Amino acid sequence: MEKSPPLAPELVSEFVRKAHSDIDRVRELLEIEPKLVNASWDWGGGDFESGLGAAAHTGRREIALLLIERGARLDIFAAAMLGMLDVVKTALTACPYARKSLGAHGIPLIVHAKMGGEPAREVYEFLGSLT
């Protein structure tokens, strides 16, 4: 199998930046390059962020759901923001120390749940009960 060339860094950077708030541009960029859905940007110092990670820590539910629909890899941070209590509980049962994992920019899991607002209230309360 032949290896594909890396995605253009400027495209990855724009995609991740736009995934923080601009669903229309995220859609446009995915049309241009569908493989962006799982691309990560290196902000430096080990701070890697995907589009889904950007949407998760900013509470951009619609962007997160779009990315998951397009094939983004669901992680515990997005699950927390989206209010997926069963997913979060299952992950933490299997790997309890994951509750202390940090997302992009060093943002804690419970903050992702807080950013999810009312749909993530149960996740936020559950995570709060663990500390």
Side-chain angles (χ1 to χ4, degrees):
M1 184 172 167
E2 191 173 316
K3 193 173 183 179
S4 300
L7 297 174
E10 57 278 357
L11 198 58
V12 174
S13 175
E14 180 182 3
F15 178 73
V16 172
R17 285 184 293 109
K18 294 301 180 179
H20 287 85
S21 62
D22 188 345
I23 194 168
D24 293 330
R25 184 62 179 152
V26 167
R27 277 193 189 103
E28 290 172 8
L29 290 167
L30 286 172
E31 291 303 316
I32 293 167
E33 180 49 79
K35 290 179 183 176
L36 285 169
V37 75
N38 283 309
S40 292
W41 181 248
D42 181 358
W43 293 101
D47 184 12
F48 290 87
E49 182 177 30
S50 67
L52 184 58
H57 76 75
T58 56
R60 303 298 182 165
R61 182 177 188 82
E62 288 182 20
I63 294 173
L65 291 172
L66 169 69
L67 294 173
I68 292 167
E69 176 186 303
R70 298 285 182 95
R73 299 176 197 111
L74 179 66
D75 63 27
I76 193 170
F77 300 100
M81 185 275 290
L82 291 168
M84 298 177 172
L85 182 59
D86 290 344
V87 172
V88 173
K89 281 185 172 181
T90 299
L92 294 180
T93 297
C95 188
Y97 45 85
R99 73 181 176 86
K100 295 187 180 204
S101 295
L102 300 175
H105 316 310
I107 298 172
L109 182 59
I110 195 167
V111 173
H112 288 76
K114 183 178 182 181
M115 294 305 295
E118 184 57 31
R121 181 182 51 79
E122 287 182 279
V123 176
Y124 180 75
E125 291 172 356
F126 168 71
L127 293 172
S129 75
L130 299 178
T131 55

